[in-house]
Amino acid sequence: MTRIFLVSLIPLRPEGPSGPPSERSDAARNRERLLQAARELVAEHGVDALTMDMLACRAQVGKGTVFRRFGNRAGLMMTLLSDAEAEFQQRFIFGPPPLGPGAPPEERLIAFGEARIRYIDENGELARAAEHSPHNRHAAPPALLWHRHVELLLREAGVEGDPWVMASFLLAALDPERVLYALRTQGIEVARIEAGWREFAGRLLGCPPHAG
Amino acid sequence: MTRIFLVSLIPLRPEGPSGPPSERSDAARNRERLLQAARELVAEHGVDALTMDMLACRAQVGKGTVFRRFGNRAGLMMTLLSDAEAEFQQRFIFGPPPLGPGAPPEERLIAFGEARIRYIDENGELARAAEHSPHNRHAAPPALLWHRHVELLLREAGVEGDPWVMASFLLAALDPERVLYALRTQGIEVARIEAGWREFAGRLLGCPPHAG
């Protein structure tokens, strides 16, 4: 229930031609069949190998149907991400502390970064494929929601100068492309990036333990 | 003298087919003529409009010559950037404090970020055009040098946990594409981003003035 509410409140497909309210049940079934086929192809061949042609072929529909449904390849990736993203949003907005409400803002910020880093480790290639332009990367509804969440945590923690700009800097550190580069190309362990984040966010919002 | 030393120590063109040591003077003159034509075209039409065809036409050479010289469009942009980048490197390695040696690491980190933000404001479209892949963005020699510089400043400032990962996070905040998006698309003033950086780096390396 909450998941559906969030997805309709914060649409994940910026260019999607149709959304849940106007879908009839047969259209919804076709959409789910296409998504299922896409998930299978990703599991079998990886995200980079998935093309609109390949999806049309696997789902036994015309290529036009695939394009009408998802707009373009990035739109398809966004839709595939939407379940994972909706669950992530649900956790930081409504879920248990420290990621959800109830913990001090410092702890929530640390938990947010850790959860984002794990999310990128799990969904990263998909997230990178969904980011087809700087506009899409920084102005897509989920990116705006993460920014607002981090900005509010900074305000709550007493950051008085410019929490909006500081939230932008913090989210840059959690950029999927950059985190993926560290994980996959530089071979940095996910636990090391998470520990670095704890130190980073901890220092930013409090006095560091070893400061002079 | 220093500039030439730095450019040859830290080559800016990752794929450049030829470098200064092997160039004869006529080749060097041709190269300078091409770069001058490229600078004129950028000044007249902007970075995004500059193509290899247009450059060949303006400099009255064959298209093959332009490709042999610069490898590809990103290589051309890198070469155009190299004067500005060499000057920036010279300033933070050898220049006067607070950007150069002699100031405390906290002040040098603040000055580094401010200088980077101004550099992006002045050379940004060129910098973005030179970044044609994540590898190029994170592993180009200048990016490695900035990373090493920031990591050393963090160590000097007493960061004990993981200065390498923290330097990655800090450099993410200074990513040209992201800073340009804030400046050009979101309409944020350069002075506001600089002030945000001072607060960000200041909090990270010391106790914030308003902390509880």
Side-chain angles (χ1 to χ4, degrees):
Chain A
M1 200 50 194
T2 309
R3 191 174 69 71
I4 291 162
F5 164 75
L6 277 170
V7 170
S8 60
L9 181 70
I10 306 148
L12 282 155
R13 274 174 299 152
E15 301 153 22
S18 68
S22 64
E23 277 183 329
R24 288 192 319 247
S25 64
D26 56 341
R29 268 195 303 276
N30 281 337
R31 180 169 180 275
E32 194 41 54
R33 209 177 88 221
L34 277 168
L35 286 177
Q36 187 51 38
R39 285 190 204 101
E40 287 169 18
L41 287 167
V42 166
E44 289 164 26
H45 306 286
V47 169
D48 290 344
L50 178 63
T51 63
M52 301 295 257
D53 275 329
M54 199 190 258
L55 177 57
C57 179
R58 170 70 65 108
Q60 294 180 293
V61 298
K63 198 172 156 181
T65 304
V66 178
F67 276 96
R68 266 195 307 282
R69 175 56 70 183
F70 301 109
N72 54 30
R73 190 171 178 276
L76 167 63
M77 300 301 170
M78 276 285 212
T79 309
L80 285 174
L81 262 183
S82 69
D83 282 0
E85 175 61 35
E87 194 221 326
F88 177 68
Q89 292 175 7
Q90 200 273 337
R91 285 170 60 211
F92 74 76
I93 300 173
F94 300 112
L99 184 54
E106 296 80 3
E107 287 179 30
R108 291 191 70 191
L109 183 66
I110 287 172
F112 179 83
E114 290 175 326
R116 253 338 264 169
I117 291 161
R118 280 194 299 273
Y119 179 92
I120 294 166
D121 188 37
E122 285 160 19
N123 301 285
E125 271 80 17
L126 214 50
R128 192 174 48 185
E131 286 181 350
H132 58 144
S133 74
H135 180 79
N136 188 279
R137 182 183 300 188
H138 305 303
L144 297 177
L145 184 72
W146 309 330
H147 191 279
R148 181 135 186 82
H149 178 65
V150 171
E151 184 188 351
L152 289 176
L153 292 179
L154 293 175
R155 284 186 194 282
E156 227 186 294
V159 170
E160 290 177 352
D162 199 334
W164 190 94
V165 169
M166 275 180 62
S168 303
F169 289 157
L170 281 168
L171 285 167
L174 301 172
D175 181 63
E177 187 235 87
R178 192 170 275 265
V179 173
L180 272 183
Y181 188 81
L183 288 169
R184 306 284 193 263
T185 308
Q186 297 178 307
I188 311 296
E189 296 281 331
V190 67
R192 182 174 166 196
I193 301 179
E194 285 178 327
W197 174 263
R198 282 193 293 275
E199 186 185 11
F200 188 64
R203 276 187 166 264
L204 203 72
L205 292 186
C207 291
H210 298 288
Chain B
M1 199 51 191
T2 309
R3 191 173 71 71
I4 291 162
F5 166 73
L6 276 169
V7 168
S8 60
L9 181 71
I10 306 147
L12 282 154
R13 274 173 301 150
E15 302 153 21
S18 68
S22 63
E23 276 183 331
R24 290 195 315 250
S25 64
D26 55 342
R29 268 195 303 276
N30 281 339
R31 181 169 179 275
E32 193 41 54
R33 208 176 89 223
L34 276 169
L35 287 176
Q36 187 51 39
R39 286 190 203 102
E40 286 168 18
L41 287 168
V42 166
E44 288 165 26
H45 305 287
V47 169
D48 290 344
L50 178 64
T51 63
M52 302 294 257
D53 275 328
M54 201 189 258
L55 176 58
C57 179
R58 169 70 65 109
Q60 293 179 294
V61 299
K63 198 172 158 181
T65 304
V66 178
F67 275 96
R68 267 195 307 282
R69 174 57 69 182
F70 302 109
N72 54 29
R73 190 173 179 276
L76 167 63
M77 300 301 169
M78 276 286 213
T79 310
L80 285 174
L81 262 183
S82 69
D83 282 1
E85 176 60 34
E87 194 221 325
F88 177 68
Q89 291 176 6
Q90 200 274 335
R91 286 171 60 210
F92 74 75
I93 300 172
F94 300 112
L99 185 54
E106 297 80 2
E107 286 179 30
R108 290 191 72 190
L109 183 66
I110 287 173
F112 179 83
E114 289 175 327
R116 254 336 266 168
I117 292 162
R118 281 194 299 271
Y119 178 92
I120 294 166
D121 189 36
E122 284 160 20
N123 301 286
E125 270 80 17
L126 215 51
R128 192 174 46 185
E131 286 181 349
H132 59 143
S133 73
H135 180 77
N136 187 280
R137 183 183 298 187
H138 306 303
L144 297 177
L145 183 73
W146 310 329
H147 191 279
R148 180 135 187 83
H149 178 66
V150 170
E151 184 187 350
L152 289 176
L153 291 179
L154 293 175
R155 286 186 193 281
E156 226 186 294
V159 169
E160 291 178 350
D162 198 334
W164 189 93
V165 168
M166 274 180 63
S168 303
F169 289 157
L170 281 168
L171 285 167
L174 300 173
D175 180 63
E177 188 234 89
R178 191 170 275 265
V179 172
L180 272 183
Y181 188 81
L183 288 169
R184 308 283 194 261
T185 308
Q186 296 179 307
I188 312 296
E189 296 280 333
V190 66
R192 184 176 165 193
I193 301 179
E194 285 177 328
W197 174 263
R198 282 192 293 275
E199 188 185 10
F200 188 64
R203 275 186 166 264
L204 204 71
L205 291 186
C207 291
H210 299 287

